[in-house]
């Protein structure tokens, strides 16, 4: 007979054993914690068994449409600035010459233009290309926002806020005005309107549902890949 003492205690709970099998809770479609280690923390435990893709609310559609129009006006404004560059420069020179009381200001500007024509042409092409690239990226952000990417909405909010500052350009109209300035002013007005729709309650709820739906899709892909 062994002299070793027996340290067993009655009614002592035994530790749970992991069997490697999914243990589905009845009528809930949820998997118990421990059935797939680390999975519940990654994708959550309260996802439903079936989800429908959330519908884009009208507020977010309106915001995206305003962004598209804002991008279009911004491109038109850049093109007008290129096509009417000489006219705008001549009118601005005349206006500032009259304000400063300078009689040969226009001649000095004209000689400077003739001397730096090539440099200005290269600068115009680079500036226009950069503007088209930026506006194309903004339009793509609007598309991603409609698809439920909240980070795209944040980027668009910052861009629209910067564009909206263009309304203060109306102050310059008292000094110098060209009809092409109206286009950039309208783009700034549309940016303000878009800011009013970005963060409305239906848009916020849609972003939340889209995030949960993406998690559910990832969950279903994960479960389908399991043997």
């Amino acid at each position: 007979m062994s002299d070793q003492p027996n340290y067993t205690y009655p009614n002592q709970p035994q530790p749970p054993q992991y069997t490697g099998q999914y243990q589905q809770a009845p009528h809930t479609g949820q998997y118990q914690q421990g059935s797939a280690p680390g999975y519940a923390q990654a994708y959550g435990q309260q996802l439903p068994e079936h989800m429908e893709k959330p519908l884009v609310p009208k507020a977010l559609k309106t915001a995206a449409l305003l962004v598209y129009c804002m991008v279009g006006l911004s491109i038109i404004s850049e093109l007008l600035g290129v096509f009417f560059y000489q006219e705008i420069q001549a009118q601005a020179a005349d206006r500032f010459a009259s304000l400063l009381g300078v009689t040969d200001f226009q001649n000095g500007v004209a000689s400077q233009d003739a001397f730096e024509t090539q440099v200005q042409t290269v600068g115009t092409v680079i500036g226009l290309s950069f503007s088209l690239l930026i506006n194309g990226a903004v339009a793509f952000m609007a598309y991603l926002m409609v698809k439920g990417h909240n980070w795209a909405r944040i980027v668009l909010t910052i861009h629209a806020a910067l564009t909206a500052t263009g309304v203060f350009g109306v102050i310059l109209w008292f000094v110098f005005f060209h009809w092409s300035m109206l286009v950039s002013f309208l783009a700034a007005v549309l940016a303000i309107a878009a800011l009013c729709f970005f963060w409305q309650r239906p848009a916020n709820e849609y972003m939340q549902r889209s995030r949960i739906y993406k998690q559910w899709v990832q969950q279903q892909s994960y479960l389908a890949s399991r043997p």
Side-chain angles (χ1 to χ4, degrees), residues 121-145:
T121 302
V122 173
T124 300
V125 172
I126 295 177
L128 183 59
S129 300
F130 183 75
S131 176
L132 292 176
L133 181 63
I134 293 297
N135 284 287
V138 171
F140 184 65
M141 290 293 176
Y143 169 79
L144 293 179
M145 178 185 66

Side-chain angles (χ1 to χ4, degrees), residues 97-180:
S98 62
L99 291 176
L100 298 176
V102 180
T103 57
D104 59 345
F105 186 78
Q106 176 63 38
N107 294 330
V109 173
S111 62
Q112 184 182 11
D113 289 342
F115 180 75
E116 298 181 352
T117 301
Q118 294 181 351
V119 176
Q120 291 178 351
T121 302
V122 173
T124 300
V125 172
I126 295 177
L128 183 59
S129 300
F130 183 75
S131 176
L132 292 176
L133 181 63
I134 293 297
N135 284 287
V138 171
F140 184 65
M141 290 293 176
Y143 169 79
L144 293 179
M145 178 185 66
V146 174
K147 293 297 182 181
H149 296 274
N150 192 51
W151 64 269
R153 182 174 62 159
I154 296 174
V155 173
L156 286 176
T157 300
I158 298 174
H159 177 78
L162 295 176
T163 305
T165 58
V167 296
F168 297 106
V170 70
I171 299 176
L172 296 176
W173 294 1
F174 296 98
V175 179
F176 167 72
F177 175 78
H178 188 268
W179 65 269
S180 61

Side-chain angles (χ1 to χ4, degrees), residues 5-169:
N6 189 359
Y7 291 105
T8 59
Y9 296 93
N11 301 326
Q12 182 179 6
Q14 299 298 319
Q17 297 181 357
Y18 174 67
T19 61
Q21 300 293 329
Y22 290 115
Q23 300 175 0
Q24 187 173 7
H27 307 296
T28 62
Q30 302 171 4
Y31 292 91
Q32 297 178 358
Q33 186 175 4
S35 59
Y39 178 79
Q41 289 79 5
Y43 296 104
Q45 301 180 21
Q46 303 300 325
L47 297 180
E49 184 177 0
H50 178 73
M51 285 192 66
E52 295 289 343
K53 186 176 181 179
L55 299 177
V56 183
K58 184 178 180 180
L60 209 59
K61 290 181 179 179
T62 304
L65 180 60
L66 290 172
V67 171
Y68 294 142
C69 295
M70 180 184 68
V71 167
L73 289 177
S74 298
I75 295 176
I76 293 175
S77 177
E78 293 291 337
L79 294 175
L80 290 176
V82 173
F83 293 148
F84 295 95
Y85 174 77
Q86 296 294 337
E87 179 181 340
I88 294 174
Q89 189 183 45
Q91 292 184 10
D94 290 339
R95 179 58 178 169
F96 283 107
S98 62
L99 291 176
L100 298 176
V102 180
T103 57
D104 59 345
F105 186 78
Q106 176 63 38
N107 294 330
V109 173
S111 62
Q112 184 182 11
D113 289 342
F115 180 75
E116 298 181 352
T117 301
Q118 294 181 351
V119 176
Q120 291 178 351
T121 302
V122 173
T124 300
V125 172
I126 295 177
L128 183 59
S129 300
F130 183 75
S131 176
L132 292 176
L133 181 63
I134 293 297
N135 284 287
V138 171
F140 184 65
M141 290 293 176
Y143 169 79
L144 293 179
M145 178 185 66
V146 174
K147 293 297 182 181
H149 296 274
N150 192 51
W151 64 269
R153 182 174 62 159
I154 296 174
V155 173
L156 286 176
T157 300
I158 298 174
H159 177 78
L162 295 176
T163 305
T165 58
V167 296
F168 297 106

